[in-house]
Each structure stands twice: as structure tokens, then as C-alpha cells.
Amino acid sequence: MVYSIGVQSQNINRYKSVSFGKKEGKEKSVCENHDALMYEEKKKRPISTALKINGDKLVNAFTTYPKKGLKGSKNANFYEYLTMGTVPYLAGSATMIAVFNLASKFFDTPAAKNASKLGKKMGLGVAMYGVAKTVSKKLVETPVNLKYGIDVNLPYKKIIHELPEKGNTDNLVAHEYHKAYESVDFPRWDLFYNNENFGPDRNSYFEKVGKKMGIDVEDLEHADQKVKPLIREKVVKTRLFSTLSSYLWAATGVGIAMQSPWEKLVLNPKTRINNAKLLKEAGLKADNFVVDFGKKFVESCKQFVNNPSKPTKYAGRALLGAAVGMTLLGNFATLFDFNKDKGSKVNASSPLIDESKEKVVC
């Protein structure tokens, strides 16, 4: 009995300095115990933050998460499973690029030349698909963030306290990277309250967003109750149109990568040097790789919308028009409010509880 009391007192002293998200004087907690937005007011969300998140997830997807899954760890979860989806995506992309480029050396000269042409297009198609799909989302998301201060991709670091396992009883804290608006029904509103990055007040974030939406938040006792439904609406619209437009732009990027001007693009540095020497001897100037790539890109875009084949030409124009139209429609739907009073069903001025009745008014 005395021994058990002594052990309990040691455990209490061991965890006494842990703050669980609260600062106790100048003491620092032994480990992080609360989730936090990865946001800085001055820098907004710097590129370094995105690189850190994606780099950390990529490394874990190839190393830590597969190891935990194969060992049957009880701490392996659905987040790790989804993160590992990057592995087959990259492996498949690399296979598509390598299937013609690496095997061409086993072909005869005419077949190797044709395989090289197709290999360039396959590689550029994979690259342009990924770039166009990622960058095109910003065409809808960035205007919403600039006008209303709503970053639909605002990340936060989630702290996971894992269960003890055999051979691992000390390092039981893991990190996951999520988005504050990852769930539209259950956003992480708690991370926005009392956040010094947005202002000194408890509702500073919601007051800022409400002002940008044209709401007189100064007359509202609880601005968050009025602004939250409006933020949800913006997030849903932004995510819908950014996703739809991104796939259209990705298909457009693949279509541009399949055009014939790319066949003349020289990727091998040695071949480029030899060609430059030949052009110099002939009194001609050779373009560097960046300039040559830019020229081929412009020529491919022109061919994409002005292809000699009428069906291909009309298909290219229709695809490009759909991508541009969806982007413009997304900006129009998210940046203009057609019914500002629609907002929340629960008005900030209306009481949640009617004291004259015995039931709560919902």
C-alpha cells in the first residue's frame, strides 16, 4: 500500500509541469499538449510552412507509416492510411515516365526515336497534370482569402497521444497535419478563439471576417454566431468550384503536353551542348533550356486550340473554355453575396432559450 502511494506521487510529480495548452507562469511544458494553427499574421502562411508539411508527410508515407502498418501497430490510423496514398501516385507517375524512356534503348533506331517522342509527352503530361491541378485551385481560393480573410486550406498541427507499445513507452506523442476547415460540419472553431495571431479579443477572427463580409459586428454581442454559417457557406462554394476547375485545368495540361512541338524539345544536357556547338558553327544562336521550353509551351498551346484536325481543335477549345468558365463562375459565386441576410438561422440578437417555455428553442 505504501509502495503504490509512492509510485502515484512520483507519477504526479512527473507530469506536474505539463500545461495542457495553458501557460503556467514562465514554465514550459514537457511536450506539446494542444493543437495549434500553423499561421503567422505578418507572413500569413509562408511557403516554408507548406514545404515543411508536405515534406514531413512524404517522408512518413515512405518510412514510418508503412512500418507501423506492417507491424500491426495499434497506433496506426486512417490518417496514416490516406497519407500513404502518395506512394502509389508517385510510383505510378514514375512508371508512366519510365516505361518508354528507359526501354527505348532496347529498340531499333526508328522505334527508339518514336518511343522517345512519346516518352517526352508522357513525362510532361504527368508533370503538367500535377502542376495544373494544384496551381489552378489557387485561382478560386486566393481571391476568397484576399477579400474575406478565409483560408480554406489553413493548416493546424494535431497532437496525437499514442498508446504504449512493446519497446516504445517514452516517445508517445505524434503529429498530424490537418486543415481547420477539413470538415465543413465540424470545423475547428476552437482554434480561432483567443488566438493572438488574429487579435487581442476572443472573437477577433470572426469580427475581422464579418467586417469584410459587410456585417456590422460592433452591434453584435456574439459576432461568431452570425459569421460562422457564412464562413461555412464560403468554404463549401470555394472547395466545390476549386475542385471542379482543377480537374478541368489538369485535363487541359495533359492535352497541351500531348502536342507535337514537344517532340523537338531536347532534354539530354549532352545532346543540347552538341546541338549548341553545331548551331554556333552554322552562325546560329542556340536557346537555353528555359527559353526553349517556353517557346515549345507557347507553340503547344497554339496547336491545342488550332489543331489541323477539326474534331481535335474543337475538343481542345471546349476543354479550355470549360476550365476558364468554371474558374470565372467559381470566383463569381464565391466573391459576390446575393443574399447577405441569409446567414444563420440563429440570429445573434435572438435568444437561444425562451424563458417562457420549458424547452430549448432550436
Side-chain angles (χ1 to χ4, degrees):
M1 183 67 180
V2 175
Y3 173 77
S4 63
I5 294 175
V7 172
Q8 290 177 3
S9 63
Q10 290 178 3
N11 291 335
I12 292 173
N13 292 329
R14 179 184 176 185
Y15 295 104
K16 188 175 181 180
S17 60
V18 177
S19 63
F20 293 95
K22 297 180 181 179
K23 295 181 180 179
E24 298 177 358
K26 295 184 179 180
E27 295 182 1
K28 294 183 179 180
S29 61
V30 174
C31 59
E32 297 178 69
N33 290 279
H34 60 92
D35 305 341
L37 292 175
M38 302 182 71
Y39 180 94
E40 295 181 21
E41 178 65 27
K42 294 180 179 179
K43 298 181 180 179
K44 296 299 181 184
R45 186 156 55 87
I47 298 176
S48 59
T49 301
L51 292 176
K52 177 185 177 183
I53 292 174
N54 292 326
D56 194 11
K57 292 174 70 174
L58 184 62
V59 171
N60 288 329
F62 278 91
T63 57
T64 305
Y65 297 160
K67 182 180 178 181
K68 289 175 67 176
L70 292 173
K71 288 174 62 177
S73 172
K74 53 188 173 184
N75 290 311
N77 55 31
F78 192 59
Y79 168 83
E80 297 176 359
Y81 170 77
L82 292 178
T83 304
M84 285 190 293
T86 310
V87 177
Y89 177 80
L90 294 177
S93 300
T95 302
M96 290 185 65
I97 295 173
V99 68
F100 289 96
N101 293 297
L102 296 182
S104 60
K105 62 182 180 181
F106 300 105
F107 303 153
D108 54 23
T109 302
K113 189 176 292 186
N114 291 329
S116 177
K117 292 178 181 180
L118 184 58
K120 289 179 186 177
K121 294 179 181 179
M122 295 287 282
L124 288 168
V126 171
M128 287 190 179
Y129 175 87
V131 172
K133 187 172 181 293
T134 302
V135 175
S136 60
K137 290 184 177 182
K138 303 300 179 183
L139 298 176
V140 179
E141 295 170 351
T142 302
V144 174
N145 191 11
L146 292 175
K147 184 175 181 180
Y148 299 113
I150 302 173
D151 186 356
V152 297
N153 296 313
L154 184 60
Y156 74 92
K157 182 186 288 187
K158 185 176 182 180
I159 309 302
I160 304 297
H161 298 278
E162 297 184 336
L163 299 172
E165 292 184 299
K166 184 179 180 181
N168 181 21
T169 57
D170 296 325
N171 187 19
L172 300 176
V173 177
H175 302 120
E176 294 180 1
Y177 297 103
H178 294 270
K179 297 175 182 178
Y181 296 114
E182 195 169 66
S183 171
V184 180
D185 295 322
F186 303 101
R188 289 299 305 270
W189 298 124
D190 58 302
L191 300 177
F192 293 95
Y193 289 109
N194 293 321
N195 195 318
E196 296 178 356
N197 291 311
F198 301 110
D201 299 329
R202 181 177 183 273
N203 291 331
S204 293
Y205 173 78
F206 301 102
E207 290 175 357
K208 284 185 176 181
V209 175
K211 288 180 180 178
K212 291 182 178 181
M213 288 183 172
I215 300 174
D216 190 5
V217 294
E218 295 179 357
D219 296 336
L220 296 176
E221 185 176 355
H222 302 288
D224 55 333
Q225 298 300 321
K226 179 69 175 179
V227 176
K228 282 180 182 178
L230 301 178
I231 293 178
R232 279 198 186 97
E233 182 181 348
K234 293 296 180 185
V235 171
V236 170
K237 288 182 179 180
T238 303
R239 192 168 291 163
L240 172 64
F241 286 104
S242 64
T243 302
L244 292 176
S245 62
S246 68
Y247 283 107
L248 292 172
W249 281 112
T252 303
V254 174
I256 293 173
M258 293 296 107
Q259 304 307 309
S260 58
W262 295 113
E263 297 174 0
K264 299 179 182 178
L265 180 67
V266 180
L267 298 175
N268 191 334
K270 293 182 179 180
T271 305
R272 292 189 65 83
I273 293 173
N274 295 332
N275 290 349
K277 289 180 179 179
L278 294 174
L279 291 172
K280 188 176 182 180
E281 292 174 358
L284 299 175
K285 183 180 178 182
D287 296 324
N288 59 42
F289 178 76
V290 176
V291 175
D292 190 27
F293 186 91
K295 287 182 178 180
K296 297 295 187 293
F297 179 78
V298 173
E299 292 173 5
S300 298
C301 290
K302 290 180 179 178
Q303 189 180 83
F304 182 67
V305 295
N306 294 305
N307 199 287
S309 175
K310 286 187 176 181
T312 305
K313 177 177 67 176
Y314 293 140
R317 290 180 178 181
L319 183 57
L320 180 61
V324 174
M326 186 61 68
T327 302
L328 294 176
L329 179 61
N331 280 277
F332 183 76
T334 54
L335 298 179
F336 296 95
D337 296 319
F338 301 100
N339 187 4
K340 289 186 178 181
D341 297 331
K342 181 167 56 175
S344 173
K345 293 182 179 179
V346 181
N347 197 323
S349 61
S350 64
L352 292 175
I353 300 176
D354 188 349
E355 296 181 355
S356 64
K357 298 181 179 181
E358 296 179 355
K359 296 182 180 180
V360 176
V361 179
C362 298

